[in-house]
Amino acid sequence: MSKLNIGIILGSTRQGRVSPQVGEWVKGIADKRGDANYEIVDIADYKLPLLGEEDATEQATKWNTKLASLDGFVFIVQEYNHSISGALKNAIDYAREAWNNKAAGFVSYGSVGGARAVEHLRGILGEVSVADVRVHAALSLFTDFENGTVFKPADLHLTNVNAMLDQVIAWSGALKTLRS
């Protein structure tokens, strides 16, 4: 069986975001495992306008093609006002079948570790038939970021990231049989 393809989705598009730092950290951990092909998928690269505001056929096609090529996801989730970013919700809404029967894990951050954003995201992903795994890494803006801008994660997060990746790989492999 070929290796699974797992996308590490950067869930923010705002200027000054730290999600690229977190995503690279997760990818570095994941790549050392050698159990899947991991790639960073930055929603900012797809320049999706607000759903329904203008014709976005080209962007939506590119986005859906990328999602369809993936077997599972790790979402890098920032907490905005107790929820996910509008850009991430918009990106999720631009696809339907491309999400179906895949697994997702989470690495979140915020003042309370991004836990409230992940809770919202779990419900949203359930509606597009994504199975979310239990373990997730919750990073604190107070202890894992210097001045809120430089990512310096505590070593203790490695255990949760690896456990989450174990679950994402197991579930993604099992769900792939539904899509074959």
Side-chain angles (χ1 to χ4, degrees), residues 25-27 29-30 33 74 106-107 135-137 139 156-167:
W25 174 71
V26 170
K27 187 173 184 318
I29 295 166
R33 298 164 53 95
V74 173
F106 311 99
V107 176
V135 177
H136 102 262
L139 308 167
L156 63 92
H157 297 300
L158 291 174
T159 300
N160 279 346
V161 170
N162 277 301
M164 177 267 300
L165 290 171
D166 288 344
Q167 291 180 347

Side-chain angles (χ1 to χ4, degrees), residues 51-132:
L51 187 65
E53 283 199 346
E54 61 184 75
D55 179 29
T57 302
E58 184 179 332
Q59 298 99 312
T61 299
K62 184 178 171 188
W63 176 239
N64 276 267
T65 300
K66 172 47 66 187
L67 294 175
S69 74
L70 300 169
D71 299 303
F73 312 99
V74 173
F75 285 87
I76 308 301
V77 185
Q78 324 53 30
E79 187 168 310
Y80 291 97
N81 298 321
H82 294 221
S83 193
I84 63 172
S85 71
L88 178 55
K89 176 64 168 85
N90 190 56
I92 292 168
D93 289 344
Y94 261 101
R96 180 72 184 187
E97 290 80 17
W99 295 114
N100 292 174
N101 297 317
K102 297 180 182 180
F106 311 99
V107 176
S108 63
Y109 57 92
S111 59
V112 291
R116 298 172 296 201
V118 169
E119 287 305 309
H120 282 176
L121 185 53
R122 288 179 191 278
I124 294 164
L125 291 176
E127 188 60 27
V128 292
S129 297
V130 172
D132 59 277

Side-chain angles (χ1 to χ4, degrees), residues 1 4 71 103 168-178:
M1 185 168 121
L4 297 169
D71 299 303
V168 167
I169 293 301
W171 283 57
S172 294
L175 289 168
K176 188 170 186 168
T177 63
L178 295 175

Side-chain angles (χ1 to χ4, degrees), residues 11-41:
S12 174
T13 59
R14 74 173 175 81
Q15 292 292 327
R17 64 194 172 135
V18 295
S19 59
Q21 294 176 64
V22 178
E24 289 294 338
W25 174 71
V26 170
K27 187 173 184 318
I29 295 166
D31 285 344
K32 288 178 186 169
R33 298 164 53 95
D35 57 356
N37 300 313
Y38 295 92
E39 70 175 288
I40 291 180
V41 180

